[in-house]
């Protein structure tokens, strides 16, 4: 048996979460166009009995050079993921020019002395900048194998997976065959709600949102999980945006979240979700250390 922890590292919005979902064949990690959507170390599991392999992928927050408090927590998660992993998968977005962060990331990866593979993602998009990214990356990091992929359209994923398996050491199977994530229902539901809230609002609001569930109750006779939770924002005006006219926006967030829960859980999920204001939560250490891990 081969097994390995594989940390997926890269700048915000390069497609790391889309890729982990593609590897694991299910929704493990939430996705949005807004940078810094992922705020946790998210495990997704790929198991192949035929190939006697289990890979445990760790999706990480997009690495961004900023010293704001929340960002420092996110950067710490990237660092600890690199420490915990045996293989590092570095994902770049070929539709954007390589950024400042590439230098910091490459230095981090080189320092770790672990095997690194590079995935150049979004090759389904026009190839204008792809050559530039390829040239720059092969200069900065010449010895590392490079794979061109589209996480969205499932292109080049099999080849990348084969290379990861080749790189994996012998090891034990950590999770049963049918596991594709180790997340609790509570965490998954909160993340789904956050994804819908991000995707149904624009620009600045997503960074001000966090979600916490307060109560859950399994009603066996109805095969229903009842959930009460809160979407927190920083200001009254943001609360207005999230609630929407006559509650239309929050109703839509609840509706879309409930629909998605149907695809994931073998029971119905009923959501009772309210919006609350928590000023300056992004500066609150005890909250951040509870939320971001
Ligand atoms: N065209 C195209 N878009 C992609 C591809 N992979 C991801 N995207 C899009 O890129 C955006 C960001 O995707 P995510 O998977 O959330 O990116 P991420 O790297 O996890 O982002 P953070 O968690 O913020 O660091 C979303 O709009 C995705 O649909 C791809 O292969 N092709
Ligand atoms: Mg992500």
């Amino acid at each position: 048996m081969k097994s390995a922890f594989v940390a997926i590292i890269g700048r915000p919005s390069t497609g790391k979460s889309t890729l982990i979902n593609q590897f694991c064949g299910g929704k493990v990690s939430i996705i949005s166009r807004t940078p810094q959507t992922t705020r946790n170390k998210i495990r997704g599991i790929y198991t192949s009995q035929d190939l006697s392999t289990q890979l445990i992928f760790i999706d990480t927050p997009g690495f961004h050079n900023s010293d704001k408090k929340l960002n420092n927590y996110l950067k710490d998660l990237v660092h600890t993921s690199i420490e915990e992993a045996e293989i590092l998968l570095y994902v770049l977005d070929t539709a954007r020019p390589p950024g400042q962060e590439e230098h910091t990331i490459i230095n981090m990866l080189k320092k770790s002395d672990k095997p690194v593979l590079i995935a150049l993602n979004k090759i389904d998009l026009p190839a204008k900048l792809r050559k530039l990214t390829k040239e720059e990356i092969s200069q900065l990091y010449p010895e590392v194998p490079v794979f061109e992929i589209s996480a969205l359209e499932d292109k080049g994923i099999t080849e990348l997976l084969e290379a990861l398996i080749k790189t994996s050491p012998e090891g034990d199977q950590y999770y049963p065959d049918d596991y594709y994530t180790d997340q609790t229902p509570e965490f998954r539901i909160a993340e789904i709600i956050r994804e819908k809230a991000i995707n149904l609002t624009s620009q600045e609001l997503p960074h001000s949102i966090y979600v916490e569930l307060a109560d859950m109750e399994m009603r066996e006779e109805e095969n229903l999980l009842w959930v009460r939770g809160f979407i927190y924002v920083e200001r009254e005006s943001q609360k207005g945006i999230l609630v929407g006219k006559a509650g239309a926006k929050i109703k839509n967030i609840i509706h879309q979240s409930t629909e998605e829960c149907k695809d994931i859980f073998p029971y119905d999920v009923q959501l009772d979700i309210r919006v609350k204001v928590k000023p300056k939560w992004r500066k609150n250490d005890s909250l951040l250390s509870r939320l971001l891990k």
Side-chain angles (χ1 to χ4, degrees), residues 16-17 29-30 37-38 59-60:
K16 300 177 294 301
S17 302
S29 196
I30 66 167
T37 295
T38 305
D59 187 16
T60 66

Side-chain angles (χ1 to χ4, degrees), residues 225-255:
L225 181 71
W226 174 84
V227 176
R228 192 161 61 99
F230 299 97
I231 305 177
Y232 292 91
V233 286
E234 287 177 309
R235 290 191 294 277
E236 257 333 297
S237 59
Q238 296 171 331
K239 181 175 171 180
I241 297 172
L242 259 191
V243 172
K245 256 195 189 150
K249 179 84 62 154
I250 184 72
K251 275 185 199 151
N252 199 7
I253 291 168
I254 292 171
H255 171 72

Side-chain angles (χ1 to χ4, degrees), residues 10-19 21 29-39 59-63 91 93 95-96 121-125 149-154:
R11 287 164 75 203
S13 289
T14 54
K16 300 177 294 301
S17 302
T18 310
L19 182 57
N21 292 344
S29 196
I30 66 167
I31 291 166
S32 95
R33 289 169 57 190
T34 310
Q36 297 209 299
T37 295
T38 305
R39 290 181 181 160
D59 187 16
T60 66
F63 192 90
V91 181
D93 177 350
R96 278 187 298 163
N121 190 29
K122 308 197 188 181
I123 59 160
D124 56 288
L125 292 174
I149 64 163
S150 167
L152 190 70
E153 296 190 352
D154 194 9

